[in-house]
Amino acid sequence: MSLSIKLCHPLDNNTASAFVLELDLMLSIKEHVVGVFGDSGAGKSTLLKHIAGIVQTRGKQIVYYQDDITALLPEHSPCCYQNQHGYLFSHLTVKQNLALVLRHGNYSDTVPFTFDEVIKWCNLLPLLEQNISTLSGGEIQRIAFARSLLSGKSLILLDEPFSALDWQTREQMLRLLPWLKANYGIEFIIVSHSLRELSLVASYIVILKQGKVIKHGVSNEIITRYSQGHGQQAVTALRGKVIEHIEKYQLAKVLLDGENEQAVTVHANDMYQGNVLLSLNANKVSLSKTKPSLTSIVNLLKVTVRKIERQPSAALITLALNEQLILAEISLMSLDKLTLAIDEQVYAQFKVL
């Protein structure tokens, strides 16, 4: 494992909701983009600040690969912490803010990409000469992410980094993370209140509740099971590998993990390569007992019914595709019409992702 975390840190001691952030966790951040999920006040941000060296306390040990980084100050740590506020210098331009980290950062000589590449990825070219004080919260978050990349640090800790962005732009930024990891070896831990957001980017999930890890594991199982309730939209995170780009339509074919090889079609650009995660909302999935033909619905998967949960306003069906799970939310009328049975094979269909 590439990151070992041992913590025992009392939180909010002067309030009725006091608890202890207590962890003994080993994470393979070399293999996974790690997502941390939990309610407000669960200890997510404090965890990242401990890893980065911003918060110090007794009863703590952070080992990054073979190096004990417990006592390192933030400027000397190989970890870069970025929160949702950005904290840029408001009297400087965007370009001047980014130049500061290149000029004064302790790791700036290890940046594996160019300044211009980062500007392109974060779509900052039109903003370079503007003062920070004139920009929106979403623009500031994109600039802060560019600054994190230009820090040259190998592990970037992201605390709700794109919360001010519209969903389309947020999705574009999130998809950068696994691509940067695959192509440049940058490691990421990202905190979010949204399992839908984490389903796009995190292949391993840690769930915190009142300072304790209550679940952790690969994202398909954790997100699929935990998004059923807890105030979250039911969503699935599917693992796969890009096998073909259809440039004419700006689409790609993704072969889903598992022995029974099945592929789906997704919207993609030329940066969408290699192993990927697909986020599929349960209410976008329809079911059929027979194989549909002559339909505009592009994606069709043969799956097995594993669980049927009748809810007050809809039915939530858990489906198995090899070892991966998929959720489908259908109407109660459709459930009665289909008369589904456990272990029955059906077809799940959904539009281009």
Short mmCIF file of all heavy atoms in Angstrom, two decimals, residues 169-220:
data_model
loop_
_atom_site.label_atom_id
_atom_site.label_comp_id
_atom_site.label_asym_id
_atom_site.label_seq_id
_atom_site.Cartn_x
_atom_site.Cartn_y
_atom_site.Cartn_z
N THR A 169 -19.23 21.34 -16.73
CA THR A 169 -17.83 21.72 -16.54
C THR A 169 -17.20 20.90 -15.42
O THR A 169 -16.03 20.49 -15.51
CB THR A 169 -17.72 23.22 -16.21
OG1 THR A 169 -18.42 23.98 -17.20
CG2 THR A 169 -16.27 23.66 -16.19
N ARG A 170 -17.96 20.64 -14.37
CA ARG A 170 -17.45 19.83 -13.27
C ARG A 170 -17.07 18.43 -13.76
O ARG A 170 -16.02 17.89 -13.41
CB ARG A 170 -18.50 19.72 -12.16
CG ARG A 170 -17.99 19.05 -10.90
CD ARG A 170 -19.09 18.81 -9.89
NE ARG A 170 -19.91 19.99 -9.63
CZ ARG A 170 -20.86 20.04 -8.71
NH1 ARG A 170 -21.11 18.98 -7.96
NH2 ARG A 170 -21.57 21.14 -8.54
N GLU A 171 -17.92 17.86 -14.60
CA GLU A 171 -17.64 16.53 -15.14
C GLU A 171 -16.36 16.55 -15.97
O GLU A 171 -15.53 15.63 -15.89
CB GLU A 171 -18.83 16.06 -15.99
CG GLU A 171 -18.67 14.65 -16.53
CD GLU A 171 -19.91 14.17 -17.25
OE1 GLU A 171 -20.95 14.87 -17.19
OE2 GLU A 171 -19.85 13.10 -17.87
N GLN A 172 -16.17 17.59 -16.78
CA GLN A 172 -14.95 17.70 -17.59
C GLN A 172 -13.71 17.77 -16.70
O GLN A 172 -12.69 17.12 -16.99
CB GLN A 172 -15.03 18.94 -18.47
CG GLN A 172 -16.08 18.86 -19.57
CD GLN A 172 -16.29 20.19 -20.27
OE1 GLN A 172 -15.72 21.22 -19.89
NE2 GLN A 172 -17.13 20.20 -21.29
N MET A 173 -13.78 18.53 -15.63
CA MET A 173 -12.64 18.66 -14.73
C MET A 173 -12.37 17.36 -13.99
O MET A 173 -11.22 16.93 -13.82
CB MET A 173 -12.87 19.80 -13.74
CG MET A 173 -13.00 21.18 -14.37
SD MET A 173 -11.54 21.67 -15.33
CE MET A 173 -10.31 21.75 -14.04
N LEU A 174 -13.43 16.71 -13.53
CA LEU A 174 -13.27 15.45 -12.81
C LEU A 174 -12.61 14.39 -13.68
O LEU A 174 -11.76 13.62 -13.21
CB LEU A 174 -14.62 14.96 -12.30
CG LEU A 174 -15.23 15.73 -11.13
CD1 LEU A 174 -16.69 15.35 -10.94
CD2 LEU A 174 -14.45 15.46 -9.85
N ARG A 175 -12.98 14.34 -14.95
CA ARG A 175 -12.43 13.31 -15.83
C ARG A 175 -10.94 13.53 -16.11
O ARG A 175 -10.26 12.63 -16.59
CB ARG A 175 -13.22 13.27 -17.14
CG ARG A 175 -14.64 12.74 -16.96
CD ARG A 175 -15.24 12.29 -18.27
NE ARG A 175 -16.61 11.84 -18.14
CZ ARG A 175 -16.98 10.65 -17.69
NH1 ARG A 175 -16.04 9.78 -17.31
NH2 ARG A 175 -18.24 10.31 -17.61
N LEU A 176 -10.45 14.73 -15.80
CA LEU A 176 -9.01 14.97 -15.93
C LEU A 176 -8.20 14.13 -14.94
O LEU A 176 -7.07 13.74 -15.22
CB LEU A 176 -8.70 16.44 -15.68
CG LEU A 176 -8.81 17.41 -16.85
CD1 LEU A 176 -8.59 18.84 -16.36
CD2 LEU A 176 -7.80 17.07 -17.93
N LEU A 177 -8.78 13.86 -13.77
CA LEU A 177 -8.00 13.23 -12.69
C LEU A 177 -7.47 11.85 -13.07
O LEU A 177 -6.25 11.61 -13.00
CB LEU A 177 -8.82 13.18 -11.40
CG LEU A 177 -8.74 14.39 -10.48
CD1 LEU A 177 -9.19 15.67 -11.18
CD2 LEU A 177 -9.58 14.17 -9.23
N PRO A 178 -8.33 10.90 -13.48
CA PRO A 178 -7.78 9.59 -13.86
C PRO A 178 -6.87 9.66 -15.08
O PRO A 178 -5.93 8.87 -15.20
CB PRO A 178 -9.03 8.73 -14.13
CG PRO A 178 -10.16 9.69 -14.28
CD PRO A 178 -9.81 10.90 -13.50
N TRP A 179 -7.14 10.63 -15.98
CA TRP A 179 -6.27 10.78 -17.16
C TRP A 179 -4.88 11.26 -16.73
O TRP A 179 -3.86 10.75 -17.20
CB TRP A 179 -6.91 11.76 -18.13
CG TRP A 179 -6.13 11.94 -19.40
CD1 TRP A 179 -6.16 11.14 -20.51
CD2 TRP A 179 -5.18 12.97 -19.68
NE1 TRP A 179 -5.29 11.62 -21.47
CE2 TRP A 179 -4.68 12.74 -20.99
CE3 TRP A 179 -4.71 14.07 -18.97
CZ2 TRP A 179 -3.73 13.57 -21.58
CZ3 TRP A 179 -3.76 14.89 -19.56
CH2 TRP A 179 -3.28 14.64 -20.85
N LEU A 180 -4.83 12.23 -15.83
CA LEU A 180 -3.55 12.73 -15.33
C LEU A 180 -2.81 11.64 -14.56
O LEU A 180 -1.58 11.53 -14.64
CB LEU A 180 -3.77 13.95 -14.44
CG LEU A 180 -4.16 15.23 -15.16
CD1 LEU A 180 -4.71 16.26 -14.16
CD2 LEU A 180 -2.98 15.81 -15.92
N LYS A 181 -3.55 10.84 -13.83
CA LYS A 181 -2.93 9.75 -13.09
C LYS A 181 -2.31 8.73 -14.04
O LYS A 181 -1.18 8.28 -13.84
CB LYS A 181 -3.97 9.08 -12.19
CG LYS A 181 -3.43 7.92 -11.37
CD LYS A 181 -4.47 7.41 -10.42
CE LYS A 181 -3.91 6.26 -9.60
NZ LYS A 181 -2.69 6.63 -8.89
N ALA A 182 -3.07 8.36 -15.08
CA ALA A 182 -2.60 7.35 -16.02
C ALA A 182 -1.41 7.84 -16.84
O ALA A 182 -0.50 7.06 -17.15
CB ALA A 182 -3.74 6.92 -16.94
N ASN A 183 -1.41 9.12 -17.20
CA ASN A 183 -0.39 9.63 -18.12
C ASN A 183 0.80 10.28 -17.43
O ASN A 183 1.89 10.33 -18.01
CB ASN A 183 -1.03 10.63 -19.08
CG ASN A 183 -1.92 9.96 -20.11
OD1 ASN A 183 -1.45 9.52 -21.15
ND2 ASN A 183 -3.21 9.86 -19.81
N TYR A 184 0.61 10.79 -16.20
CA TYR A 184 1.70 11.51 -15.53
C TYR A 184 2.00 11.00 -14.12
O TYR A 184 2.90 11.51 -13.47
CB TYR A 184 1.38 13.01 -15.47
CG TYR A 184 1.33 13.66 -16.83
CD1 TYR A 184 0.11 13.87 -17.47
CD2 TYR A 184 2.49 14.04 -17.49
CE1 TYR A 184 0.05 14.46 -18.73
CE2 TYR A 184 2.45 14.63 -18.75
CZ TYR A 184 1.23 14.83 -19.36
OH TYR A 184 1.17 15.41 -20.60
N GLY A 185 1.23 10.03 -13.66
CA GLY A 185 1.49 9.46 -12.34
C GLY A 185 1.07 10.34 -11.18
O GLY A 185 1.45 10.06 -10.03
N ILE A 186 0.29 11.40 -11.43
CA ILE A 186 -0.19 12.25 -10.34
C ILE A 186 -1.23 11.46 -9.53
O ILE A 186 -2.14 10.85 -10.10
CB ILE A 186 -0.82 13.55 -10.86
CG1 ILE A 186 0.12 14.25 -11.84
CG2 ILE A 186 -1.19 14.47 -9.70
CD1 ILE A 186 1.41 14.71 -11.24
N GLU A 187 -1.11 11.49 -8.22
CA GLU A 187 -2.04 10.75 -7.35
C GLU A 187 -3.04 11.72 -6.73
O GLU A 187 -2.70 12.87 -6.42
CB GLU A 187 -1.25 10.01 -6.28
CG GLU A 187 -0.33 8.96 -6.89
CD GLU A 187 0.75 8.48 -5.95
OE1 GLU A 187 1.08 9.20 -4.98
OE2 GLU A 187 1.29 7.38 -6.19
N PHE A 188 -4.27 11.23 -6.53
CA PHE A 188 -5.34 12.11 -6.04
C PHE A 188 -6.15 11.42 -4.95
O PHE A 188 -6.46 10.23 -5.05
CB PHE A 188 -6.31 12.47 -7.17
CG PHE A 188 -5.71 13.29 -8.28
CD1 PHE A 188 -5.25 12.67 -9.44
CD2 PHE A 188 -5.61 14.67 -8.18
CE1 PHE A 188 -4.70 13.40 -10.47
CE2 PHE A 188 -5.06 15.42 -9.21
CZ PHE A 188 -4.60 14.79 -10.36
N ILE A 189 -6.50 12.19 -3.93
CA ILE A 189 -7.57 11.84 -2.99
C ILE A 189 -8.56 12.99 -3.06
O ILE A 189 -8.18 14.15 -2.91
CB ILE A 189 -7.06 11.65 -1.56
CG1 ILE A 189 -6.02 10.53 -1.50
CG2 ILE A 189 -8.22 11.34 -0.61
CD1 ILE A 189 -5.42 10.33 -0.12
N ILE A 190 -9.84 12.68 -3.29
CA ILE A 190 -10.84 13.72 -3.47
C ILE A 190 -11.99 13.52 -2.49
O ILE A 190 -12.52 12.41 -2.35
CB ILE A 190 -11.35 13.77 -4.93
CG1 ILE A 190 -12.44 14.84 -5.09
CG2 ILE A 190 -11.82 12.41 -5.42
CD1 ILE A 190 -12.83 15.12 -6.53
N VAL A 191 -12.36 14.59 -1.81
CA VAL A 191 -13.50 14.61 -0.88
C VAL A 191 -14.71 15.17 -1.60
O VAL A 191 -14.61 16.15 -2.34
CB VAL A 191 -13.17 15.47 0.36
CG1 VAL A 191 -14.44 15.96 1.04
CG2 VAL A 191 -12.31 14.69 1.34
N SER A 192 -15.87 14.54 -1.39
CA SER A 192 -17.10 15.05 -2.00
C SER A 192 -18.30 14.63 -1.17
O SER A 192 -18.29 13.60 -0.50
CB SER A 192 -17.26 14.52 -3.43
OG SER A 192 -18.48 14.97 -4.00
N HIS A 193 -19.37 15.45 -1.24
CA HIS A 193 -20.65 15.10 -0.64
C HIS A 193 -21.52 14.32 -1.62
O HIS A 193 -22.63 13.91 -1.28
CB HIS A 193 -21.42 16.36 -0.21
CG HIS A 193 -20.85 17.03 0.99
ND1 HIS A 193 -19.97 18.08 0.91
CD2 HIS A 193 -21.03 16.79 2.31
CE1 HIS A 193 -19.64 18.47 2.13
NE2 HIS A 193 -20.26 17.71 3.00
N SER A 194 -21.03 14.14 -2.84
CA SER A 194 -21.85 13.56 -3.91
C SER A 194 -21.26 12.24 -4.40
O SER A 194 -20.16 12.21 -4.95
CB SER A 194 -21.95 14.55 -5.08
OG SER A 194 -22.47 13.92 -6.23
N LEU A 195 -22.01 11.15 -4.23
CA LEU A 195 -21.57 9.87 -4.77
C LEU A 195 -21.62 9.87 -6.30
O LEU A 195 -20.84 9.19 -6.95
CB LEU A 195 -22.43 8.73 -4.21
CG LEU A 195 -22.15 8.36 -2.76
CD1 LEU A 195 -23.17 7.34 -2.27
CD2 LEU A 195 -20.74 7.81 -2.58
N ARG A 196 -22.54 10.65 -6.86
CA ARG A 196 -22.58 10.77 -8.32
C ARG A 196 -21.27 11.36 -8.82
O ARG A 196 -20.71 10.91 -9.82
CB ARG A 196 -23.76 11.64 -8.74
CG ARG A 196 -23.89 11.80 -10.25
CD ARG A 196 -24.94 12.82 -10.62
NE ARG A 196 -25.02 13.01 -12.06
CZ ARG A 196 -25.63 14.03 -12.65
NH1 ARG A 196 -26.21 14.96 -11.90
NH2 ARG A 196 -25.65 14.14 -13.95
N GLU A 197 -20.77 12.38 -8.13
CA GLU A 197 -19.51 13.00 -8.51
C GLU A 197 -18.36 12.00 -8.38
O GLU A 197 -17.53 11.86 -9.30
CB GLU A 197 -19.26 14.22 -7.63
CG GLU A 197 -18.04 15.03 -7.98
CD GLU A 197 -17.96 16.32 -7.18
OE1 GLU A 197 -18.71 17.25 -7.48
OE2 GLU A 197 -17.15 16.37 -6.23
N LEU A 198 -18.31 11.29 -7.28
CA LEU A 198 -17.23 10.32 -7.07
C LEU A 198 -17.31 9.16 -8.05
O LEU A 198 -16.28 8.57 -8.40
CB LEU A 198 -17.26 9.81 -5.63
CG LEU A 198 -16.92 10.84 -4.55
CD1 LEU A 198 -17.01 10.21 -3.16
CD2 LEU A 198 -15.53 11.43 -4.77
N SER A 199 -18.51 8.83 -8.52
CA SER A 199 -18.65 7.72 -9.46
C SER A 199 -17.96 8.00 -10.78
O SER A 199 -17.66 7.08 -11.54
CB SER A 199 -20.13 7.40 -9.70
OG SER A 199 -20.77 8.43 -10.44
N LEU A 200 -17.70 9.27 -11.07
CA LEU A 200 -17.02 9.64 -12.31
C LEU A 200 -15.51 9.49 -12.23
O LEU A 200 -14.83 9.39 -13.26
CB LEU A 200 -17.32 11.11 -12.64
CG LEU A 200 -18.70 11.45 -13.17
CD1 LEU A 200 -18.93 12.95 -13.12
CD2 LEU A 200 -18.85 10.94 -14.60
N VAL A 201 -14.97 9.49 -11.01
CA VAL A 201 -13.53 9.70 -10.90
C VAL A 201 -12.83 8.74 -9.95
O VAL A 201 -11.66 8.42 -10.15
CB VAL A 201 -13.27 11.17 -10.47
CG1 VAL A 201 -13.83 11.44 -9.08
CG2 VAL A 201 -11.82 11.53 -10.52
N ALA A 202 -13.50 8.28 -8.90
CA ALA A 202 -12.83 7.52 -7.84
C ALA A 202 -13.05 6.02 -8.03
O ALA A 202 -14.18 5.55 -8.02
CB ALA A 202 -13.34 7.95 -6.47
N SER A 203 -11.97 5.27 -8.17
CA SER A 203 -12.09 3.82 -8.31
C SER A 203 -12.06 3.11 -6.96
O SER A 203 -12.29 1.91 -6.88
CB SER A 203 -10.97 3.28 -9.21
OG SER A 203 -9.70 3.71 -8.75
N TYR A 204 -11.78 3.87 -5.89
CA TYR A 204 -11.80 3.33 -4.53
C TYR A 204 -12.46 4.37 -3.62
O TYR A 204 -12.17 5.56 -3.74
CB TYR A 204 -10.38 3.03 -4.04
CG TYR A 204 -10.31 2.11 -2.84
CD1 TYR A 204 -10.21 0.74 -3.00
CD2 TYR A 204 -10.35 2.61 -1.54
CE1 TYR A 204 -10.15 -0.12 -1.91
CE2 TYR A 204 -10.29 1.76 -0.44
CZ TYR A 204 -10.18 0.40 -0.63
OH TYR A 204 -10.12 -0.45 0.45
N ILE A 205 -13.36 3.92 -2.75
CA ILE A 205 -14.15 4.83 -1.93
C ILE A 205 -13.94 4.53 -0.44
O ILE A 205 -13.94 3.37 -0.03
CB ILE A 205 -15.65 4.71 -2.25
CG1 ILE A 205 -15.93 5.01 -3.73
CG2 ILE A 205 -16.48 5.63 -1.36
CD1 ILE A 205 -15.70 6.43 -4.13
N VAL A 206 -13.78 5.61 0.34
CA VAL A 206 -13.76 5.53 1.80
C VAL A 206 -14.95 6.34 2.31
O VAL A 206 -15.11 7.50 1.95
CB VAL A 206 -12.46 6.10 2.38
CG1 VAL A 206 -12.49 6.08 3.91
CG2 VAL A 206 -11.25 5.33 1.87
N ILE A 207 -15.79 5.72 3.15
CA ILE A 207 -16.94 6.42 3.72
C ILE A 207 -16.71 6.66 5.20
O ILE A 207 -16.44 5.71 5.96
CB ILE A 207 -18.24 5.63 3.49
CG1 ILE A 207 -18.52 5.51 1.99
CG2 ILE A 207 -19.42 6.30 4.19
CD1 ILE A 207 -19.79 4.79 1.63
N LEU A 208 -16.78 7.93 5.59
CA LEU A 208 -16.59 8.33 6.99
C LEU A 208 -17.92 8.67 7.64
O LEU A 208 -18.80 9.27 7.01
CB LEU A 208 -15.68 9.55 7.08
CG LEU A 208 -14.19 9.40 6.77
CD1 LEU A 208 -13.48 10.74 6.95
CD2 LEU A 208 -13.55 8.35 7.65
N LYS A 209 -18.04 8.32 8.90
CA LYS A 209 -19.19 8.73 9.71
C LYS A 209 -18.70 9.01 11.12
O LYS A 209 -18.16 8.12 11.79
CB LYS A 209 -20.27 7.65 9.72
CG LYS A 209 -21.53 8.08 10.46
CD LYS A 209 -22.63 7.03 10.35
CE LYS A 209 -23.90 7.49 11.04
NZ LYS A 209 -24.98 6.48 10.93
N GLN A 210 -18.85 10.27 11.54
CA GLN A 210 -18.41 10.70 12.87
C GLN A 210 -16.99 10.24 13.19
O GLN A 210 -16.71 9.69 14.25
CB GLN A 210 -19.38 10.22 13.94
CG GLN A 210 -20.73 10.92 13.89
CD GLN A 210 -21.56 10.68 15.12
OE1 GLN A 210 -21.70 9.53 15.56
NE2 GLN A 210 -22.12 11.73 15.69
N GLY A 211 -16.10 10.47 12.22
CA GLY A 211 -14.69 10.21 12.44
C GLY A 211 -14.23 8.78 12.26
O GLY A 211 -13.05 8.48 12.44
N LYS A 212 -15.14 7.87 11.91
CA LYS A 212 -14.78 6.46 11.74
C LYS A 212 -15.02 6.03 10.30
O LYS A 212 -15.96 6.49 9.64
CB LYS A 212 -15.62 5.57 12.67
CG LYS A 212 -15.55 5.94 14.15
CD LYS A 212 -14.18 5.66 14.73
CE LYS A 212 -14.19 5.76 16.26
NZ LYS A 212 -14.53 7.12 16.75
N VAL A 213 -14.18 5.12 9.82
CA VAL A 213 -14.40 4.51 8.50
C VAL A 213 -15.45 3.42 8.67
O VAL A 213 -15.24 2.44 9.39
CB VAL A 213 -13.10 3.92 7.94
CG1 VAL A 213 -13.38 3.19 6.62
CG2 VAL A 213 -12.06 5.00 7.72
N ILE A 214 -16.60 3.59 8.01
CA ILE A 214 -17.64 2.57 8.12
C ILE A 214 -17.68 1.64 6.91
O ILE A 214 -18.20 0.53 7.00
CB ILE A 214 -19.03 3.20 8.35
CG1 ILE A 214 -19.42 4.12 7.18
CG2 ILE A 214 -19.06 3.96 9.66
CD1 ILE A 214 -20.87 4.58 7.24
N LYS A 215 -17.14 2.09 5.78
CA LYS A 215 -17.03 1.24 4.60
C LYS A 215 -15.85 1.73 3.77
O LYS A 215 -15.58 2.93 3.72
CB LYS A 215 -18.29 1.31 3.72
CG LYS A 215 -19.53 0.62 4.27
CD LYS A 215 -20.68 0.77 3.29
CE LYS A 215 -21.97 0.17 3.84
NZ LYS A 215 -21.93 -1.29 3.90
N HIS A 216 -15.17 0.81 3.12
CA HIS A 216 -14.19 1.20 2.10
C HIS A 216 -14.00 0.04 1.15
O HIS A 216 -14.13 -1.13 1.53
CB HIS A 216 -12.87 1.67 2.72
CG HIS A 216 -12.10 0.61 3.46
ND1 HIS A 216 -11.06 -0.09 2.88
CD2 HIS A 216 -12.21 0.15 4.72
CE1 HIS A 216 -10.57 -0.94 3.77
NE2 HIS A 216 -11.25 -0.82 4.89
N GLY A 217 -13.74 0.36 -0.11
CA GLY A 217 -13.57 -0.68 -1.11
C GLY A 217 -13.70 -0.11 -2.51
O GLY A 217 -13.79 1.11 -2.70
N VAL A 218 -13.72 -1.00 -3.51
CA VAL A 218 -13.81 -0.56 -4.90
C VAL A 218 -15.14 0.14 -5.13
O VAL A 218 -16.15 -0.19 -4.51
CB VAL A 218 -13.62 -1.73 -5.88
CG1 VAL A 218 -12.21 -2.29 -5.80
CG2 VAL A 218 -14.64 -2.82 -5.62
N SER A 219 -15.13 1.11 -6.02
CA SER A 219 -16.25 2.04 -6.12
C SER A 219 -17.54 1.40 -6.60
O SER A 219 -18.62 1.79 -6.16
CB SER A 219 -15.88 3.21 -7.05
OG SER A 219 -15.55 2.73 -8.34
N ASN A 220 -17.48 0.41 -7.49
CA ASN A 220 -18.72 -0.16 -8.01
C ASN A 220 -19.59 -0.70 -6.89
O ASN A 220 -20.77 -0.38 -6.78
CB ASN A 220 -18.43 -1.26 -9.03
CG ASN A 220 -19.70 -1.96 -9.51
OD1 ASN A 220 -20.03 -3.05 -9.06
ND2 ASN A 220 -20.43 -1.31 -10.41
#
